[in-house]
Every structure is written in C-alpha cells, then in structure tokens.
C-alpha cells in the first residue's frame, strides 16, 4: 500500500531504526537516567537555543505532548484559545478538557491560523468570577490545513498574546515541515518567535514514536517530571525513544525527511492542480495537499490509494511523508486524472 | 553495566527487535487498524481464552495499563483495595487518583498479597454517603515483593471479592514470570482464576515498550477505545507496539524469557543465602531477590552492580531479567561474599 | 435599591423565610435524613409525576445542579450539546469541563433554543476513537435569552435526541417561569416532554438557596448520593434547604411567584417598547426583558436601577422577580423614556 | 428529640436566624458584591489579624472549605499528610482526591493529632519522579476525636512542616470550640500558630450553613474566586450566608456558643465517667465525649437519644452543641446509668 491518508501511515526511517537497534546494548538506567536520554535532551536544547536548565520531557505521542505542554500554561479555571481545526480541539477525544479541566475556546478560521484580532475577539469575561479566564493560546505550525504562519505572522501572534498576558503553546507535530518550508532553523521557528512551550514532534517526521514537551520560557516547568509521570507518559526503557530524536537531530535527518515530504506534496499539488475538475482547497505550504475533487471520484480514487475526506463532501486531505516516492505521486495524479475524467 | 536494579534496565530481546524491524515495511493503517495490531490482538485473546469480542487495548506503559484497567472498574466515588506495596499505590505518582478521582485503600501486608480476610477488613462504610464505596480490588501477580499467589490463593481472593460485589484487577506487569513459576498457562493464571480486568505486561518480559489492557469479563469495556485515546495512550504507528506482543506470544518467547529470569533469580537467591551475613527477606518465587545485607556492604556492592535499597536500611531488591547471564549472577554473589566478609 | 440586574438580587419570599424559621425547632437528623427533607423530596416527586424510587438530590446552587445532572448522563469522553448562550457553557467558570472532564459543544443560536436540525449538525465524529462522542443535550427552559420552547418544540427536541441516542438535561433554573408561561404543570413541562434529568430551580423563584437534581428517567441515578457528596454538595443541616422547596411547592407559591415575575416583565416590555428609540431584542416570554437602547442612555439608566449590558454595546437584560413592584417597573420605564429622549 | 449524634443535628441560634431574617430587605447585589458580604469578610479578616488584601471566600459546607483550602496548597502530583481519622480522609467521600487529583497520606494516630515526628515519617520519595510529593499537612483543631492541640503543639507541627517545605491547612470546622478551650483568640489559634490556610467553620457553631476558606499566608489565593466558582461553591444570594458569620463574630456569639457546648460535654463526660461500667476513650477537651460502654447498652441508650458508635463495637461519640440543655445531659447520664446497670 502507498497511502496519502496520513504521515503516520509511513514507517520508520532506516537511520532511526538503526539507532534503535544500536541502543539495544545491554543494561542501562531506566526512566530517562540513561546516557542516550541525556544526549538527546542536550541535543534538543541545543537545537532550540536553550540552556542546560531548560525542561525537556520525552513523551509517547502528540496528544500527550500537547496536553502536558498546556498543563504548564493553565490551571483548570483558565482557558486556551485555539482554532476550530486544532488537533487539541478536534482530534484528541477531549484529552485536554479531561486532563486540564480547562475549557478550550475554538476560533473559526478559514486557513488554520490565529491572528491578534482573532485572539482579542476570543478573550471575554476577563476578571469575571463566573467566566473561565483565558490564559494561553495554542497555535499549530504547520497547521492542520497544511498552511504556514510566516515567522512574522507567528511573532505577531505571540507578541500580541504576551501583551494580553497569555502564554503561547506551539503544537509542533509537523514543526520540521514548517521550519524547512520557512527556511528557518528549529530555534528560529520557535524560541525565535517567542513561543513559551513547545510540542516537538518526531513521529510524523520519520520516528517510530516519540515527541518532546519543551519549556522554552524559564520557570514554567519545575514540576514537569511529576506531571509527566502522573500523566502516564514516563517510559521505562526510554533510551529507545531518546535515540529516535537523537537520530533525527544529529545529522539533520529531520530536515531531509521534512524537505522530502514537502517536495512530494508540492509535486502532488502541482499534478492535481493541472487535472481538469480538481482544485486546491488550501495553499500547499508543507507536506499536505487539500484538494476539491468530484464527489463521485472519491471512492474509486481511495481504492487506488487511501486518503481521508477532510471536509465533506468533496475536500480531501493528501499527506506526504518522508518515504513518499515520486513515482507514487505521479501514479496517484495519473489515477486521479483518469478517474475524474471518467466520472465527469 | 550489568544491573540488578530493575528488569527494565534490560534491553529488548533480539527476536522482538527483529519483529519491530520486520514491521517497518511501507505504509500501513495507523492507530491500530493495521494487520499487525489485528493479529496481535487476536493472539492475546487466544492465549487468554477470550472470544473475538473481548476488549484488548495496547498502551505505552504499565502505569497506563493499570489506570485504564481500573477505569473499567470504578467511578470516582468508588475505591480500590490494594496492598501497601502495590505499584498503583506507591510508584505511579498518584496517576490512579488523578485519572480515576478515586481513593486507593492500601492494606499493609508482609508478603505483597491480599487475602479474603484482609479484603473484608478494608471494606468500610458500605452504603454510607459520606464514605467512598469500595468497588474493586487490585492484585499484583507476581507481587512487588517477588512473591506469588498460588492459583488457589488467587482464586480465593477473586471469589471472595466477587461475593462482596467487587471487581478484580490484576496488575500483570510480571504475569509471565508468575505463570512460569506457577506452571500454568496465561489463561489459567488470569481468566482461570476469575480475574475481571488485566494489565498484561510486555516491557519487563523483553519488549521495548508495550502493555495491554484486557477486559476478561464481558460488558465492561465498550468505551475502552475512547478511554484510551482520552488518556493519551493511543499510538499512531501502533504496528511497532503490536509486533512486540506478537513476538512474545507467538513462539512462547514470553515463557522462555520469564523462565530464564526466574532461574537466574533462584541462582542468585541460593548464592546469596549461602553468604554468611546475608539472608533472604522474602521467598524468591519469581525473578526478584529480596535480601538483607549488612548496611556497610551496600554502597560497595552497588558500585559493582547497581540495585535499589528497597526497605531502608538493609533490605535490597535484586531483579533478574531475560538477559541476565549466569556469570553475572555468580560474579555478583562472589562480590557480595567478599564485600560482606570485608565489612563484618 | 430596586434592581433589574438579576432575579437573584431579590430576597426571599416571606412564606419561605417563615418556613425556614419554623424548621428551627430542636434537633433533627442531619444530611437529609430528617422529616422535612423526606417531605420535600416526596413533594418534588409528586409534582413531577415520579414514583417513590425516583432520585432527587437537593444541592446548593444552579451550577451544581447542572453539573451533577449532566454527571448522570455522560462520562468524560462523551460530550454535551448546548447553545452558545447556555449557562453551563458561559457562566459556570468551566465547572462542567472540570467536574465531568467532558467537552461541551456549543451551538450558535439566535434565540437560545436548540432544534433537531441543530442537534444533527452538532453530532460529529460518532464512532471515531479520536473524537469525543456526543451523548447528551442540555436545554434551558426558559432560556437565557428570556425565550421559551413551546411544549411541542421541546418534545420535538427531546424525541429527536432520543432517536440519536442522546439523553436530555433540562436546566430549569427558571422552570417555574416557563411552566407558568406555558400554562402547564411542572410535570407537563418536564417529564411530559420526555426530559431525562432536570435541574429544578428554587433560588430564582423566591427561595434563599436551593436547587434539586431530579432523575426523571429510571436507572440513571443510583450513585447520586455519593456523586453529590463527592461534589461537595451535601448540606449538613439540610432541613433548612428542604423546607424552602416545600414552601414553594406546597401551596403553589412557585406558581404565584413566577406568574408575578412574568407579569412584571410583560409590563416592563410593553412600557419600554412604547419608548421611541427603544426596541425589544428578543420576545418577552417569561421574566426577562432584552432591549436595545441608545448606548449613551445606558449609564444614566443603570444609575437609576442596576442592570447588565448583555450584548455589547446596546442590548441590555432586565430581569423581574417575585418581588418586583409595578411601581418599580413604571418608574424604570419613565426614567428610560426621559433618559433616552435626553440623549437622542 | 435531643440528640448527641452530631453538632449538626442542632438548629440555628436565634440571633443568627434573626440576622438572616433581617437581611431579607429588598434587592442587593448577588454573588458576594453586597454590603453584608463585604462586612462579614472584613470581620473575618479582623478577627484573624489579616489585612484587607487577605483572601476570604464563603462556601456552603465543610467539605468544600477543606477541598478549596487544600486546592490553594497542592497540585495533583503533590500529596497531603493528614491523620487516619481526618474528616478529609474519612468522611468526604473522596472529594479531595476527586477535586485535587492528589493522594492523601493518612497517618495512624491514637489521639487525632499529628506531630513533627509523624510528619517526618510520612514524607517519603521526595524528589523521586515516581512518587507523589508531599506538599502540605492538614490538621484538625479541635480534632475528630474531641481532643486539642495545645498552642505549643500546633506551633511545633506548623514550624516543622514549614521547615520541611510544607504548607499547613487547618480544618477548623470546630475552631470555635478549640479557641474557647485553649483560652485563645481565633487569631492566636490560627495565624498565631503559623497556619497557612484555614477552613473556618460556622455551621457546627450555630449557623444554618456557612464556612469560610481563608488564606492566612499571602500570595496563595489570587485565583480563589474562580476556584470557588468552578468548584460549584459560589452562592447567588450570598448575603444570607454572610450575615450568619457576621452574627457569629460580631458579639462573640461564636465564643458563647462554643463555651456552652464545651461545658455541656464536660458535664456529660463527668457524669458518664462516674457510671460504673463506663469509661472515657479520649479526654474530653472540647464538645465531644468519646466513651466506652457495654455493647448491650448501646441500642437501648440510642433509643433514648441518638448517637453514633464511633469505633465498633463499644466506643461511642456523644456531641454537644450550642443548644444542648443541662437537663438533657443529666437525663442522658441517668439513662446510661440505669441501662448499663441493667445489662451488666
């Protein structure tokens, strides 16, 4: 199967698998006291421009990274502004509400992106004891709609949030794709924009399963080790998670993987845009293509290669990953062209 | 390093690592819809004597398995009886209280084991609206003190709990070690004793990181998929977890690994028991040795090979794992003999 | 001060205060085992057409009644559809999210009322493990905007919700006002429409402070005594709460109080509607008047008699209560006419 | 009925009922913005020696006061040391675990009192990410066993807790009885001993139903208004709660009520101690008598006047309240003497 359903249909990059295998060398300390975890933690800090005291916690998946990151920002009577397509709001089965006890304040957006004006409109009831108090903003970069904040846009959002007394969380499940597309370093894309806490994604970037919660702002995260454990996110054999991130960061594998996925999405977008009857629903700025197809074309095309209908009835999401082959893209475009022609 | 600190200082069994590598074959469905997860789920059911409708959910670690298993048994005003050395009570940073909202009722035990009489004594306030209502019992098999319930003992506890209207959870982080020691199948050790919900452990048995929540009693777990997701325990690339359990179960690797660890612990216990000045603190029934040593011997001996002081000042815990070598054991015993003689 | 700010600026009806005083007669059982609580509970059941087994729990305030009522309907991975002006969503400082762990799904409405079509549109992701599962609908009768569901409208919403497998909660903080306006009994207004769980309001109807959670549908509420206690809502000297509800129900004081408040609102609405430059923002169907006034009139008029601006900049809410005097209404209308003329 | 079952079987002191009635004077601001609440808050601060910025929040019952007070002290991964007879541990249906998400660490005590040594023994796992982190101590004054900390004892506990980095909560449901017995002011009994947060009890002292959460230590409680609201503890017609506390404090009614209850308990204790076959189980230091009676005497004596068996089979608790009459005490003693003689 070659799928465009999700960037986590893809497997593990061979270099990462090799790192996992290499880590399987006798006894080491468990629960993160091992040398690999120490090395990987240092590497994360270095790439994000952080000092040795910055809190970094490896966790199992993106939901946990987001929830624990937000846990550093809000108490239960405080609320989090996000977009109405945010993963934290839509796709985490209410984990934020359950763990944080907090309300999310979803803001309808056409393009997956918050703005200072949208944030202002979403802050209501400040100081009123009957109302939840907005205390944080969660942005996703790159967004759930395959779009990007420019560095200026992101900086503007963060600076505005800070002016309003809010902390800013970045859901970076696809931060690598964003940084590549922006031509920036990981640091420039996060700390450089003033982000306070980060969900740093590894899994969609070619890892087997690892994400990191990173406190970019000092002073938020002394309790993070206990918060992680209580949130059931402390791995016993953590070396096998740590080496995945190490492998991604050490030789800029993260960059190569993301650059490839982005390039494949561009190729796919260009191919599909040229098919009569198909149009792009959002700009293709990273590794996801959102396209509008004739409804009758969807099922036959899904039989060729699985993908999700994103906005019923006719907008589909096509994700490319580190291992998407140009030939797969071209075959899919050709199939789309044939099927769309057929049903039109 | 050769450590007796924990069975999760050990790495991954080569067959499991090979299974993980073999699973890295192109695109497959994410979040558990893949063939490997389906196969592994079926295998778990088969080995536990369960039908195809039985709920099985793979999760990341033992804390999550325990909490989600208990989540099938109690609501927040209901309480869980466990021992005062239970992992759920002592070593999970309050995750059960946090997630369940429930009170744990820890019962002091000398040997890690509950009995019908201890359960009776721990049930108080039944029917009283001011008191939490005991609704479940959590037992650990093999126990945190390296001891074992016989099948008769476990059956007696379960039957008694059922008579009192309580569900029974088994924390089976080391279920494999227990079943081997009991000479029983996994089914006999769990469903055969009437257990209602099971935390089925893989990680300490040679896996990289996978546990399963299994509902042995029908009707408890229709909501388990959502409970797991909301508890931040749904893996995207789940195939890599599933194949670990598959590898453990398929050729009875679980049995071989546990049998080896148990044998090494026996060897270690016998060696230490013969050292003048050392005595066993608990019977060595599975893969852990609890021994009392002269206090002044501890630090020098920990420098030889790391281990934990379990009950200060002088009771230590020494865990053996699937990869503990006889020579490691013998060297440790020899070192212990020398050091103890030296400090006496 | 005569205020139109809220129906809880009003004090306690003399008959209720007398009942409280009369209840102060020596020692009685605490925590609801007293005769007054038993009588009041029976009266609530009778007025709602319920049998002696129906669960009724007196609680301290409306937020608690709503949260505990919803607690009978959903688990944390399940969601509740409500309107975007619902008290549970807007004015309870996130208590539902905190206590239930659940997501609320607010639906924008112009008139405070849900419909079958709106419910259908709000149900998304059914069966998807990544999404919260809608399991209940919360309606407010009369609504936060001073409007009413007709019995047919409410019945249609409930029947549709039931067809979709959802339970229905009615926030009846102003149920008395609604029943009076509908010309229905309390039973017809609730159980007669198929409502499953009810927040029955006393405080805004002339009590000092008491609400009741009532399970109209059998089988939902065996655990309610413990849920209430754990939610910190069990009163020790409960007789003093119980007699308030008893006094409201015994001689249909609830009806007289609500009928008066509704009549005062009608008088106020008619008076204001006749003022040039003032218009009603919603129909005045119960005891609240929503009116649009010139912005410059608001502050001077609030100095005459306090009220809240409901929708900035110019829609105000004016609540009438059991003790609003016709002369107060007339004086307010006259002041409004003078001030509006002045600023125009 | 004259009962010794609980000090909340008693009704409301006439002066408090009068204050409630007097408060029923037209419209006032709701939710605590009214003059009575402002006055009562100021009075609480004054009597506790606090400045105008100190956080005081009136709540409905003792469970809520305790939970919200502890909410100022701990996060969910942090634990609270208390005694094994503490109300927070035994009689709140797990509300602390549910709301705080925290573990309680109950310490067995013979006399209801913690000591520095007991606190030290209960602090385990400090700094260990697998263990909950003890962050607070909860003491009850007077205790659940009718005993008292001397001011020196309490000060020693608090100072030791502070040295260990722990905050100290005082459950003062019967603080008035304690202060009277100690011959101290309310301030000396709390802030004077270094207490950080206080549950200040009104209900058992003759009120209808009101308690206060008071932050004695600055800086803990900026979020208290929202915490209270989210915990479903914000009263709409708060004046009726506030005037109860005002009436208790204004003319030292609190002192008279507690002094009377204490005196009646002393009279009861002396009377019972003189009955052959009866002995006191704990010293009678405030308003509760704990006595050991022949088992066969219990049921006949409970028929005379209700009370609870506290420690089965033969230790009973007899509570006196502001309205216990000397004749009631004498009659009970006489009945006890007769019944005990009869069954011996």
């Amino acid at each position: 199967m070659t799928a465009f359903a999700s960037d986590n249909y893809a497997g593990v990059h061979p270099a990462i698998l090799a790192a996992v295998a290499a880590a399987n060398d006798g006894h080491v300390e468990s629960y993160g006291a091992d040398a690999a975890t120490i090395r990987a933690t240092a590497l994360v800090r270095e790439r994000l421009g952080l000092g040795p005291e910055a809190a970094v916690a490896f966790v199992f998946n993106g939901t946990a990274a987001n929830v624990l990151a937000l846990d550093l920002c809000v108490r239960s009577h405080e609320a989090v502004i996000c977009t109405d397509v945010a993963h934290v709001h839509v796709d985490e089965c209410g984990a934020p509400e359950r763990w944080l006890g907090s309300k999310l304040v979803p803001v309808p957006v056409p393009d997956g992106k918050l703005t200072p004006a949208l944030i202002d409109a979403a802050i209501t009831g400040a100081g009123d004891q009957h109302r939840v108090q907005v205390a944080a903003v969660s942005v996703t970069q790159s967004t759930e709609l395959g779009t990007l904040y420019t560095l200026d846009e992101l900086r503007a959002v963060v600076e505005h949030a800070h002016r309003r007394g809010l902390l800013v969380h970045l859901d970076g499940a696809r931060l690598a794709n964003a940084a590549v597309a922006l031509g920036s370093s990981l640091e420039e894309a996060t700390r450089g924009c003033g982000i306070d806490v980060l969900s740093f994604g590894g899994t969609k970037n070619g890892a087997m399963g690892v994400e990191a919660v990173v406190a970019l702002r000092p002073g938020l995260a002394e309790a993070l080790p206990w918060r992680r454990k209580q949130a059931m996110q402390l791995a016993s054999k953590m070396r096998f998670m740590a080496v995945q991130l190490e492998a991604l960061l050490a030789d800029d594998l993260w960059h190569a993987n993301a650059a490839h996925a982005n390039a494949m999405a561009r190729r796919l977008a260009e191919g599909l845009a040229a098919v009569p009857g198909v149009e792009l629903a959002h700009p293709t700025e990273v590794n996801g293509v959102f396209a509008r197809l004739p409804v009758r074309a969807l099922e036959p095309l899904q039989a060729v290669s699985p993908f999700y209908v994103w906005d019923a009835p006719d907008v589909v999401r096509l994700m490319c990953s580190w291992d998407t082959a140009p030939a797969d893209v071209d075959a899919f475009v050709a199939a789309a062209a044939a099927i769309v022609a057929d049903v039109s």
Side-chain angles (χ1 to χ4, degrees), chain A residues 7 15 17 34 38 42 69 77 79 97 108 111 129 149 175 194 223 234 236 251 281 289 306 324 330-332 342 344:
Chain A
D7 28 9
L17 196 59
D34 61 288
I38 292 166
H77 65 282
E97 285 90 347
D111 59 355
Q129 68 180 335
Y149 292 85
L175 176 64
L234 180 62
S236 56
D251 297 310
V289 178
T324 304
D330 298 344
F332 186 82
D342 203 46
S344 299

Side-chain angles (χ1 to χ4, degrees), chain A residues 15-24 28-45 56-60 200-203 207-212 228 233-250 253:
Chain A
I16 294 176
L17 196 59
V20 167
N24 195 31
V28 308
E29 296 83 353
S30 52
Y31 297 113
D34 61 288
T37 302
I38 292 166
R39 287 195 315 268
T41 302
L43 208 46
V44 169
R45 288 191 185 111
V56 176
F58 300 149
V59 297
F60 295 117
F200 182 79
T203 312
M208 188 182 298
V210 64
E211 313 279 312
R228 173 174 64 175
Q233 290 292 323
L234 180 62
S236 56
K237 298 182 178 176
M238 202 186 289
R239 54 172 143 168
F240 298 107
M241 287 166 65
V243 294
Q244 298 177 46
L245 270 186
E246 189 182 29
L248 276 173
L249 292 177
L253 179 60

Side-chain angles (χ1 to χ4, degrees), chain A residues 9-331:
Chain A
Y9 272 49
V12 181
H13 189 278
I16 294 176
L17 196 59
V20 167
N24 195 31
D25 182 28
H27 282 206
V28 308
E29 296 83 353
S30 52
Y31 297 113
D34 61 288
T37 302
I38 292 166
R39 287 195 315 268
T41 302
L43 208 46
V44 169
R45 288 191 185 111
E46 184 206 307
R47 294 307 167 91
L48 296 172
L50 298 166
E53 72 300 333
V56 176
F58 300 149
V59 297
F60 295 117
N61 64 12
T63 296
N66 287 340
V67 169
L68 280 170
L70 289 173
D71 182 71
L72 303 180
C73 301
V74 294
R75 298 183 65 194
S76 63
H77 65 282
E78 294 174 330
V80 180
I81 294 173
C82 60
T83 75
D84 63 342
V85 295
H87 198 268
V88 289
H89 176 56
V90 176
D91 286 309
E92 300 185 352
C93 199
E97 285 90 347
R98 177 66 154 94
W99 182 259
L100 305 170
S102 295
K103 191 185 277 291
L104 301 185
V105 181
V107 177
V109 291
D111 59 355
K113 302 198 283 184
L114 290 173
T115 65
L118 289 171
I119 290 171
D120 279 344
I123 300 175
T124 59
D128 180 344
Q129 68 180 335
H130 299 269
R131 306 286 172 87
V132 293
Q133 300 298 296
V134 174
V137 169
S138 180
V139 293
T140 310
Q141 173 81 312
S142 58
T143 77
E144 292 82 359
L145 299 181
T147 57
L148 264 182
Y149 292 85
T150 67
L151 292 179
D152 280 348
E153 285 172 340
L154 187 55
R155 213 175 284 118
V157 163
V158 173
E159 286 172 4
H160 191 73
H162 286 170
R163 269 193 298 274
R164 297 297 307 257
L166 314 178
L167 293 170
V168 182
H169 163 245
L170 191 148
D171 176 352
R174 295 187 184 95
L175 176 64
N177 303 92
V180 165
L182 291 164
S184 78
S185 69
L186 294 170
E187 178 181 356
E188 287 163 346
T190 56
R191 208 173 71 93
C193 294
I195 297 295
D196 297 298
V197 294
L198 170 66
S199 300
F200 182 79
T203 312
K204 291 184 198 301
N205 190 219
M208 188 182 298
V210 64
E211 313 279 312
V213 177
V214 187
L216 303 172
R217 171 189 288 249
L220 292 177
E222 331 73 57
L224 184 54
W226 291 275
R227 306 305 291 171
R228 173 174 64 175
K229 173 66 186 179
Q230 198 178 38
M232 307 175 269
Q233 290 292 323
L234 180 62
S236 56
K237 298 182 178 176
M238 202 186 289
R239 54 172 143 168
F240 298 107
M241 287 166 65
V243 294
Q244 298 177 46
L245 270 186
E246 189 182 29
L248 276 173
L249 292 177
D251 297 310
D252 287 340
L253 179 60
W254 69 270
H255 196 283
N257 281 355
H260 177 82
N262 289 1
M264 289 302 100
R266 253 188 335 268
R267 185 185 189 108
L268 178 58
E270 286 162 9
L272 287 176
V275 173
V278 176
E279 61 182 38
L280 298 184
H282 299 291
T284 301
E285 299 186 315
V286 277
N287 66 321
V289 178
F290 289 74
R292 184 168 278 117
L293 277 83
V295 173
R296 281 182 300 156
L298 300 185
E299 212 173 296
L301 194 52
Q302 282 172 318
V304 171
S305 194
F307 57 83
Y308 288 107
V309 176
W310 198 253
D311 276 325
D314 63 348
V315 174
V316 306
R317 186 188 77 160
L318 304 162
M319 299 304 297
C320 294
S321 56
W322 67 268
D323 69 345
T324 304
D328 294 336
V329 171
D330 298 344

